């Protein structure tokens, strides 16, 4: 058997890439400094995998920002608005496409960004035009293969396959289907494969995760055409076809028919698909199988016992030399190395595996399949004991929490009155103007704020001193918001490290790593909580700072909470009970917080749920079950509020067309969404559905350092005003402002308020 992985984390063990990128963007370092950091990370990753014993090591899995954006440049898929940027400076062009660019010479908006399948990773959305041409523009895939060779490592280059690439993108004009571009695209892939073949590449990994989706007949035919064309042109090339995140399901016969060397199976998300393959008459005995047994999405240890049972079953039909042991997907989604964690409870740590440990698990499973190899037998016993300890652990289970969930009734997820009645009471209570302005919650977390938090955590800054500093920061932000004329204020969340981590630290059932960072997008890294046990609230989570902020002003200040589905989705979640059960436990904890905020005089409470869409199963027939429990969990958290209390929710970077009815069932009084990068396109779902509640279509793209002009904001709001009742429109940024800097934030918010006031005045003028 051979071993492989589908991809490796690329931010560096200590987030070196994040820091290097941000220094480069700030103009504090050179391109050479940045590329040197990247080269060091790649070299360490390759040599580490080689040392551990991975047989086929990936290359081109590294990225400065995003692998889909890398593919755009590789294929010359560059939108026209970036033509003014010097293409010789590839890195500047690349980052402009990701982040936008604004200076005295040029002002271009960034490309759209959305979630990568059902993960919390964000990718840059390719933009397509009718009859678009492509070219082999960036040689990154070639250069990284050569770079690995220079370190003595022969790699398996990875590239997003043609049909998946097209399906990930968006048509920017009407009158054509993006799949029609395949004929123009394939010749560029031929160029890439030809150059790799001449270099002596043995295996090439084609990432085709669209095979986990419900594909149209046209898409299936496009895949068949693609691999047939490649096979005819490169008969000796060994294509490693990687599907992940779900079964092949309805695409299984299609996949089995493809002329590829190896077919990868995600046996973590879909272990039963191996039975379908073993029983299928369409399986070609020449096709090798890559068994994705080690979880690339979660941090729990593998069960060697279970993995070996699967392998033994497969070996009755397929010889071992046609099998690979692999991770289920790229390890991009897990942290680097558990060995860095010196402060974690040993009884929990024994149940965990980060990327380094998963590499070791892949190799261990390979060796454990050989009865003669006794050197690894002790690992089997250690693994078995750890899994037994986990199944019996008393720190996981809390009977009172389980009872509270089982006692939930339908009435626990319903507000007292329908929206129209609540809306009237809230308008009377809050007395807000037309086009009320607000922000999504967080304000810039400066270097000083982050240093205070670290000093406080390390005991270098007393709680009293820390609280004084945070209180001053909150007061300054309240005064700023008052001065520019915002209508509904926020306290700024300066005390919070992360919108999920902050809550997890204050809830029972969670534990935290010190170095468990994973990439969310670009240089944005998150440290997901580890949700290992039953969840309950120890004490109020946010009341103190929210009520302090409200005491500083007569304007309403929103209480800011993270919703149960988002806390679930953005954590490493226990795998020993249904996710719906765990989500309801979190929902009850948030419900208690809503009640306490309301009791303490907070009249507007925002429960953020950006991960609702992200959590959708990839197969549509599974949506109803998920949406039923996910939407219900939100309603459990919010329904304790009185009619006069206005409940907001926020969602970013989501397509809503096919789930808009379920979004409406959440029954939030106000929903804020991302619409600026799509130029209000995402608003169409709400308009077509006649969404009954109030809505804030974001008009300031906070994922870009650009400051939106008054003209841009006015154009977007006029689009919204043309299709929505003016009494239902809020004015706000796309998302929280935590990652931005104060100068751009202040300028953008002033523009936002200016436009809202202008529209307000126009609306009050007699017709």
């Amino acid at each position: 058997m051979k071993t492989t992985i589908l991809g490796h984390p690329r931010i560096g063990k200590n987030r070196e890439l994040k820091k290097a990128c941000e220094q480069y963007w700030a103009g504090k370092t050179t391109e050479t400094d940045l590329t040197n950091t990247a080269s060091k990370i790649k070299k360490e990753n390759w040599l580490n995998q080689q040392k551990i014993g991975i047989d086929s090591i990936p290359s081109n899995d590294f990225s400065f920002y995003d692998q889909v954006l890398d593919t755009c440049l590789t294929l010359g898929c560059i939108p026209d608005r970036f033509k003014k940027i010097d293409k010789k400076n590839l890195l500047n062009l690349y980052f402009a496409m990701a982040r936008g660019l604004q200076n005295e010479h040029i002002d271009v908006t960034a490309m759209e960004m959305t979630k990568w399948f059902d993960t919390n990773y964000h990718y840059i959305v390719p933009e397509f035009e009718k009859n678009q041409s492509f070219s082999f523009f960036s040689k990154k895939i070639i250069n990284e293969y050569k770079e690995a060779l220079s370190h003595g490592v022969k790699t398996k280059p990875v590239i997003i396959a043609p049909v998946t690439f097209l399906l990930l993108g968006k048509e920017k004009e009407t009158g054509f289907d993006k799949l029609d571009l395949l004929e123009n695209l394939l010749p560029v892939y031929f160029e890439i494969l030809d150059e790799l073949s001449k270099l002596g590449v043995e295996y090439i990994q084609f990432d085709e995760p669209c095979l986990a989706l419900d594909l149209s007949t046209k898409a299936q035919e496009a895949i068949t055409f693609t691999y047939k064309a490649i096979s005819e042109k490169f008969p000796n090339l060994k294509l490693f076809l990687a599907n992940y995140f779900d079964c092949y399901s309805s695409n299984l016969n299609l996949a089995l028919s493809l002329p590829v060397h190896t077919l990868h199976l995600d046996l973590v998300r879909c272990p039963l698909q191996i039975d379908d393959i073993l029983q299928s008459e369409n399986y070609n005995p020449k096709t090798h199988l890559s068994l994705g047994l080690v979880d690339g999405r979660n941090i729990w240890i593998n069960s060697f016992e279970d993995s070996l049972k699967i392998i033994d079953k497969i070996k009755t039909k397929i010889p071992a030399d046609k099998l690979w042991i692999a991770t289920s997907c790229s390890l991009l989604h897990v942290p680097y190395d558990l060995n860095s964690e010196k402060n974690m409870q040993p009884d929990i740590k024994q149940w965990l595996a980060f990327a380094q440990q998963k590499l070791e698990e892949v190799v261990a499973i390979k060796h454990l399949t050989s009865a003669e190899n006794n050197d690894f037998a002790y690992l089997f016993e250690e693994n078995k004991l750890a899994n037994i300890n986990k199944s019996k652990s008393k720190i996981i289970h809390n009977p009172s929490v389980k009872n509270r969930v089982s006692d939930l009734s339908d009435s626990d997820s319903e507000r007292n009155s329908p929206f129209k009645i609540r809306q009237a009471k809230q308008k009377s209570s809050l007395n807000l103007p037309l086009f009320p302005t607000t922000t999504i919650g967080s304000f810039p977390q400066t270097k000083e704020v982050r240093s205070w938090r670290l000093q406080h955590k390390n005991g270098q800054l007393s709680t009293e001193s820390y609280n004084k500093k945070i209180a001053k920061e909150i007061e300054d932000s309240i005064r700023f918001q008052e001065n520019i004329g915002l209508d509904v204020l926020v306290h700024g969340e300066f005390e919070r490290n992360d919108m999920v981590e902050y809550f997890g630290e204050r809830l029972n059932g969670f534990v935290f790593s010190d170095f468990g960072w994973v990439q969310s997008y670009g240089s944005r890294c998150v440290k997901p909580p580890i949700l290992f046990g039953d969840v309950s609230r120890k004490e109020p989570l946010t009341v103190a700072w929210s009520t302090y902020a409200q005491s500083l002003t007569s304007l309403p200040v929103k209480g800011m909470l993270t919703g149960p589905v988002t806390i679930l989705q953005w954590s490493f979640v226990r795998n020993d009970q249904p996710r719906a059960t765990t989500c309801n436990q979190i929902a009850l904890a948030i419900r208690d917080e809503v009640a306490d905020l309301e009791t303490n005089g907070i009249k507007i409470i925002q429960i953020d749920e950006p991960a609702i869409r992200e959590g959708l199963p990839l197969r549509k027939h599974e949506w109803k079950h998920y949406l039923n429990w996910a939407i219900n969990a939100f309603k459990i958290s919010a329904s304790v509020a009185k009619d006069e209390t206005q409940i907001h929710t926020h969602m970013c970077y989501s397509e809503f067309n096919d789930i808009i009815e379920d979004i409406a069932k959440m029954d939030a009084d106000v929903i804020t969404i991302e619409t600026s990068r799509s130029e209000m396109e995402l608003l169409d779902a709400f308009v077509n559905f006649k969404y009954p509640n109030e809505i804030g279509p974001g008009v300031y793209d906070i994922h870009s350092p650009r400051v939106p002009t008054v003209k841009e904001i006015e154009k977007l709001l006029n689009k919204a005003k043309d299709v929505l009742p003016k009494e239902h429109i809020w004015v706000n940024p796309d998302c929280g402002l935590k990652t931005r800097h104060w100068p751009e934030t202040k300028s953008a918010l002033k523009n936002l308020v200016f436009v809202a006031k202008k529209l307000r005045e126009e609306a009050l003028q007699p017709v």
Side-chain angles (χ1 to χ4, degrees), residues 575-594:
N575 56 2
D576 63 336
Q577 73 176 13
R579 290 171 73 86
T581 302
T582 305
C583 199
N584 279 346
Q585 292 180 358
I586 304 169
L588 286 168
I590 300 302
R591 179 185 179 92
D592 293 341
E593 189 70 12
V594 169

Side-chain angles (χ1 to χ4, degrees), residues 694-761:
E694 297 180 20
I695 184 166
V699 294
Y700 163 23
D701 174 17
I702 68 87
H703 294 91
S704 169
R706 285 187 72 254
V707 174
T709 64
V710 164
K711 187 177 179 181
E712 289 170 1
I713 294 172
E714 188 170 4
K715 179 183 175 185
L716 291 174
L717 282 173
N718 278 326
K719 279 188 176 184
K721 189 162 63 75
D722 287 343
V723 293
L724 292 173
K726 59 181 181 295
E727 297 82 8
H728 284 204
I729 299 175
W730 285 65
V731 182
N732 46 261
D734 278 343
C735 201
L737 296 159
K738 174 183 175 181
T739 59
R740 300 274 47 92
H741 299 292
W742 270 114
E744 70 206 52
T745 295
K746 289 181 177 180
S747 296
L749 291 180
K750 286 175 183 176
N751 289 350
L752 181 150
V753 171
F754 177 85
V755 175
K757 288 182 175 179
K758 181 182 178 187
L759 294 184
R760 202 173 293 160
E761 290 170 4

Side-chain angles (χ1 to χ4, degrees), residues 431-439 443 476-490 553 555-556 730-732 745-758 760-761:
N431 194 30
L432 296 171
L434 275 176
F435 305 109
T437 54
T438 189
T439 63
F443 274 130
D476 289 347
S477 77
I478 292 290
R479 298 295 167 247
F480 161 68
Q481 293 172 81
E482 287 178 326
N483 289 339
I484 67 169
L486 283 166
D487 301 303
V488 174
L489 315 189
V490 296
T553 181
L555 295 170
W730 285 65
V731 182
N732 46 261
T745 295
K746 289 181 177 180
S747 296
L749 291 180
K750 286 175 183 176
N751 289 350
L752 181 150
V753 171
F754 177 85
V755 175
K757 288 182 175 179
K758 181 182 178 187
R760 202 173 293 160
E761 290 170 4

Side-chain angles (χ1 to χ4, degrees), residues 410-450:
D410 291 345
S411 62
D412 291 317
S413 55
E414 297 298 332
R415 297 287 293 273
N416 294 327
S417 304
F419 170 69
K420 286 294 182 185
I421 293 174
R422 300 196 312 263
Q423 186 184 40
K425 291 181 179 180
Q426 290 161 16
K427 284 188 179 297
S428 173
S429 170
L430 297 170
N431 194 30
L432 296 171
L434 275 176
F435 305 109
T437 54
T438 189
T439 63
I440 302 305
S442 58
F443 274 130
Q445 294 240 338
T446 61
K447 195 179 293 184
E448 291 75 22
V449 169
R450 294 197 301 271

Side-chain angles (χ1 to χ4, degrees), residues 150-247:
S150 73
H151 299 301
V153 182
K154 188 173 183 179
T155 57
K156 164 171 57 84
V158 178
I159 189 168
I160 295 171
V163 176
T164 288
F165 177 73
L166 290 173
L167 291 177
L168 289 171
K170 180 176 283 189
E171 298 99 337
K172 299 303 285 186
E173 58 182 316
T174 58
F176 81 104
D177 184 333
K178 54 195 173 186
L179 285 174
D180 294 337
L181 298 174
L182 183 61
E183 190 176 338
N184 294 352
L185 183 60
L186 266 183
V188 184
Y189 275 86
F190 292 161
E191 283 187 64
I192 295 167
L193 297 178
D194 183 57
E195 198 158 335
L196 288 172
S197 297
K198 288 174 180 175
L199 288 171
V201 170
E202 184 176 8
Y203 296 99
I204 298 175
Q205 179 178 315
F206 262 39
D207 277 6
E208 198 78 271
C210 74
L211 285 166
L213 305 175
D214 298 316
L215 292 179
S216 66
T217 301
K218 185 172 183 177
Q220 291 181 327
E221 290 172 350
I223 288 175
T224 299
F225 175 80
T226 295
Y227 289 92
K228 182 182 178 185
I230 291 173
S231 175
E232 289 174 352
K233 196 163 184 65
F234 302 95
N236 298 319
L237 197 61
K238 294 179 180 177
L239 276 191
F240 183 106
L241 178 62
N243 173 51
Y244 37 83
F245 300 154
D246 210 330
C247 301

